[in-house]
Amino acid sequence: MTRVADVVVKVRSKNAGPFWLTIDVFCGDATAFERIVQGLSTDRVAAAFGAAPDVVKRFDIADLHVVKFSMPRPKIQGDILDRDMHGAGWAPLVAEMTLN
């Protein structure tokens, strides 16, 4: 099975404010971009993060060869139960996902 990391240049995650998390999948070229668009569903990403699919926003930016997912953080940034203050630790979960 092909992993996201095997196809793309980089996967990055970060905070999009204290309430949202964003994950950027940098594909590098049109071929990789199409592979990610076709092989990585929003539902699968939502399931990996325990989020409802209807709250995950997906942006397929063809001109930049980037697929972006944004969703509410599981805990507000800085909460005593927040295990990732900067949101950087979520990228490996997407990078290791397999493509359809």
Side-chain angles (χ1 to χ4, degrees):
M1 305 275 313
T2 303
R3 300 174 308 142
V4 170
D6 298 331
V7 175
V8 305
V9 175
K10 182 175 185 156
V11 179
R12 174 184 70 185
S13 62
K14 60 183 181 174
N15 288 334
F19 306 106
W20 282 79
L21 174 71
T22 189
I23 301 156
D24 302 315
V25 182
F26 297 96
C27 301
D29 61 36
T31 303
F33 176 76
E34 283 304 316
R35 181 76 173 99
I36 295 300
V37 167
Q38 298 301 318
L40 185 61
S41 72
T42 305
D43 289 347
R44 287 186 58 224
V45 172
F49 290 96
D54 61 328
V55 299
V56 177
K57 297 180 181 187
R58 178 182 176 138
F59 306 92
D60 296 338
I61 309 167
D63 290 343
L64 300 175
H65 310 304
V66 173
V67 177
K68 176 186 281 281
F69 298 94
S70 293
M71 65 196 80
R73 290 177 53 95
K75 296 290 178 192
I76 296 171
Q77 181 186 19
D79 184 277
I80 194 166
L81 298 176
D82 180 15
R83 297 182 67 202
D84 186 358
M85 185 76 148
H86 301 287
W90 299 92
L93 293 174
V94 174
E96 293 299 317
M97 293 180 79
T98 57
L99 298 171
N100 293 336

